[in-house]
Amino acid sequence: MLTQLKITSAKPTAKPYNLSDGHGLFLAIQTSGSKLWRFRYRYAGRQKTLHIGPWPDTSLADARERCREARKAIAAGLDPALEKKRAKVTARFAVATTFKDVALEWIAKCEREGRAEITLDKIRWLLGMAYPLIGSHPINAISPTEALTVLRKVEAKGRYESARRMRSILSRVFRYGIATARCDRDVAADLRGALTTPKTVHHAAITDPGGVGVLLKTMDGYTGQAVTRMALRLSPHLFVRPGELRQAEWTEIDVEKALWSIPAERMKMRRSHKVPLSRQALSMIEELREISGHRQYLFPCMGSPRRPMSENGVNQALRRLGYETGEMTAHGFRAMAATLLNEMGRWNPDAIERQLAHQEVSSVRRAYARGEYWDERVAMMQHWSDYLDGLRDAAEAPRPAKAVSCKLKSGKWKARRPRSQPRR
């Protein structure tokens, strides 16, 4: 067996050599002079080596104790080398064990996976409401009752849909905690039946041809910011999701091919999407190029041109035109197009769904229905723009402006004409 004197007096040679201490423990003397403790053993019929640590950081007594622990693990049917790797993984993640630490790691993972920025912002907003109550708690110590308290606080404000989404986000954080050895169970999964089920509210949309014509004629009278005006005018012709429209970049527009190519990372279903551009849409895009063609985005934010316009820009424009939230929304242009195109009866419903970038509900049908119906979609988009022009021209007059109250310096209120309506 080794002694302190033997270890100290061991000198390096031209080749590495070992000094045995018995029971599989030995000290490896390297040519550089370093001395490393090793334990040689057999597991599942294979010869294996466990790296214990360097001498003198690991003393002779410590090395023998580690060797005894390893032999006990082998007797219990465990592989000491594998257990050491598991302990390292656990130790690496043990530094950050609070709910907020784990949540921030999970968000960073979502960023690396290419989640849309608007999705990440919503996740941060939802988790931001949870941090004050459970953010500083060790994630493994959070009980279902504590998680429910967070959700009840959101429900108390009448935000039933937000509470439902928050439960889903909390569940994902807990599952990430399980995968990274910070917690043992997803306590949010136990709360599925504890929340108030929100009523399904569809995006408000005008779907009767007469109302669409009046809306389009009213939109022509919008006198707000030029970028917002162009986003408003293009919305019915393209009928993409508002987030996809406002983040459109000039590099995605191919005028010669009359095509807008949206990358997969910006799409809800994570599939790249192509939008055929009608003559009317191309004309509006060329008009827009004079305004923002030197920028990255077609619709830059006026205060911060390196960022896209606000996600509520088109909605705010509709409100200024007198359309309430329950009448028409930016997302409602999609429902408008879907309804009227289907009612025409001349277009394949699958072609309409492809143009809306919807995913087939049935996984079996989705596996086989992979056609893009491209030629039909090109013809459909041109016909749709022509149809919209016809509805607008047939409308007798734009929607009358609603009086808006404004407060005077005297403290009194009076009605004034909305700024979106031009003076006559």
Side-chain angles (χ1 to χ4, degrees), residues 27-42:
L27 187 68
I29 313 299
Q30 306 296 309
T31 56
S32 62
S34 62
K35 302 172 182 180
L36 308 173
W37 290 109
R38 300 284 187 264
F39 171 57
R40 188 175 287 119
Y41 64 99
R42 292 188 71 81

Side-chain angles (χ1 to χ4, degrees), residues 24-277:
L25 178 64
F26 64 91
L27 187 68
I29 313 299
Q30 306 296 309
T31 56
S32 62
S34 62
K35 302 172 182 180
L36 308 173
W37 290 109
R38 300 284 187 264
F39 171 57
R40 188 175 287 119
Y41 64 99
R42 292 188 71 81
Y43 181 80
R46 295 180 59 189
Q47 186 77 23
K48 304 190 76 174
T49 301
L50 174 67
H51 297 247
I52 294 177
W55 183 90
D57 295 341
T58 303
S59 67
L60 175 59
D62 290 340
R64 285 171 176 170
E65 179 59 30
R66 294 277 299 279
C67 182
R68 280 192 291 270
E69 293 174 357
R71 289 200 300 272
K72 288 180 181 179
I74 294 169
L78 302 175
D79 182 353
L82 181 59
E83 294 303 310
K84 180 182 177 182
K85 290 180 180 178
R86 287 175 176 168
K88 281 185 176 181
V89 172
T90 302
R92 186 171 76 248
F93 288 112
V95 178
T97 59
T98 67
F99 177 84
K100 186 173 182 178
D101 290 333
V102 177
L104 292 176
E105 277 188 28
W106 176 71
I107 292 174
K109 172 179 171 290
C110 292
E111 290 177 341
R112 293 192 298 272
E113 292 173 344
R115 292 286 186 90
E117 189 59 35
I118 188 171
T119 301
L120 293 171
D121 287 343
K122 289 178 180 177
I123 290 173
R124 294 188 188 101
W125 175 70
L126 289 169
L127 288 173
M129 292 189 283
Y131 293 152
L133 292 177
I134 61 173
S136 60
H137 294 196
I139 191 169
N140 201 37
I142 297 174
S143 66
T145 303
E146 289 175 309
L148 182 60
T149 301
V150 174
L151 301 174
R152 286 278 188 256
K153 188 174 181 180
V154 178
E155 278 194 329
K157 299 177 182 179
R159 297 174 173 174
Y160 302 124
E161 179 61 23
S162 294
R164 184 188 68 81
R165 292 184 179 182
M166 180 184 281
R167 191 212 63 78
S168 176
I169 296 299
L170 294 181
S171 183
R172 295 178 196 179
V173 174
F174 281 114
R175 292 203 301 271
Y176 179 76
I178 295 171
T180 54
R182 259 81 66 86
C183 63
D184 302 320
R185 60 185 289 237
D186 172 13
V187 298
D190 301 333
L191 307 178
R192 286 193 179 93
L195 301 179
T196 302
T197 303
K199 293 182 179 179
T200 302
V201 179
H202 297 289
H203 296 284
I206 296 173
T207 56
D208 66 284
V212 172
V214 172
L215 170 63
L216 295 172
K217 183 155 285 190
T218 305
M219 285 164 50
D220 284 346
Y222 182 79
T223 58
Q225 291 182 345
V227 167
T228 306
R229 183 177 69 251
M230 296 307 300
L232 181 66
R233 289 177 58 197
L234 276 165
S235 291
H237 290 269
L238 304 178
F239 55 87
V240 293
R241 296 178 181 90
E244 296 158 6
L245 179 69
R246 74 183 187 90
Q247 296 183 77
E249 300 184 15
W250 283 108
T251 55
E252 300 164 1
I253 304 297
D254 189 330
V255 175
E256 292 184 2
K257 294 182 179 179
L259 177 67
W260 172 23
S261 301
I262 310 177
E265 57 267 22
R266 284 221 318 276
M267 297 298 299
K268 182 179 180 180
M269 300 303 175
R270 293 294 179 271
R271 284 183 54 191
S272 60
H273 183 56
K274 297 185 183 299
V275 181
L277 301 174

Side-chain angles (χ1 to χ4, degrees), residues 339-374:
T339 301
L340 295 178
L341 285 171
N342 276 292
E343 287 181 353
M344 289 177 187
R346 61 184 295 176
W347 310 109
N348 188 322
D350 285 339
I352 299 173
E353 291 299 295
R354 288 291 184 278
Q355 195 53 54
L356 288 164
H358 283 165
Q359 182 169 316
E360 177 61 48
V361 176
S362 169
S363 59
V364 176
R365 179 171 166 74
R366 185 165 63 245
Y368 290 98
R370 300 181 184 179
E372 294 297 323
Y373 304 93
W374 182 248

Side-chain angles (χ1 to χ4, degrees), residues 247-411:
Q247 296 183 77
E249 300 184 15
W250 283 108
T251 55
E252 300 164 1
I253 304 297
D254 189 330
V255 175
E256 292 184 2
K257 294 182 179 179
L259 177 67
W260 172 23
S261 301
I262 310 177
E265 57 267 22
R266 284 221 318 276
M267 297 298 299
K268 182 179 180 180
M269 300 303 175
R270 293 294 179 271
R271 284 183 54 191
S272 60
H273 183 56
K274 297 185 183 299
V275 181
L277 301 174
S278 64
R279 293 188 301 274
Q280 293 88 332
L282 282 171
S283 176
M284 285 183 271
I285 287 173
E286 288 307 306
E287 184 179 342
L288 179 61
R289 193 182 297 276
E290 298 180 4
I291 303 171
S292 62
H294 60 295
R295 301 289 187 188
Q296 175 184 357
Y297 297 103
L298 273 71
F299 309 100
C301 175
M302 290 296 100
S304 303
R306 293 184 179 181
R307 298 171 54 193
M309 65 182 288
S310 165
E311 60 181 306
N312 290 320
V314 174
N315 277 327
Q316 290 172 351
L318 289 169
R319 304 300 159 259
R320 290 180 63 182
L321 289 172
Y323 287 90
E324 302 295 338
T325 306
E327 294 179 275
M328 186 62 193
T329 61
H331 206 284
F333 288 112
R334 291 171 58 77
M336 172 196 295
T339 301
L340 295 178
L341 285 171
N342 276 292
E343 287 181 353
M344 289 177 187
R346 61 184 295 176
W347 310 109
N348 188 322
D350 285 339
I352 299 173
E353 291 299 295
R354 288 291 184 278
Q355 195 53 54
L356 288 164
H358 283 165
Q359 182 169 316
E360 177 61 48
V361 176
S362 169
S363 59
V364 176
R365 179 171 166 74
R366 185 165 63 245
Y368 290 98
R370 300 181 184 179
E372 294 297 323
Y373 304 93
W374 182 248
D375 292 339
E376 184 172 359
R377 285 164 56 189
V378 171
M380 179 179 71
M381 293 298 280
Q382 183 57 58
H383 179 83
W384 173 245
S385 286
D386 294 340
Y387 177 70
L388 291 179
D389 286 350
L391 293 180
R392 182 197 59 210
D393 295 341
E396 294 183 359
R399 184 166 178 164
K402 290 186 177 180
V404 179
S405 297
C406 63
K407 195 172 186 179
L408 302 176
K409 291 183 178 180
S410 62

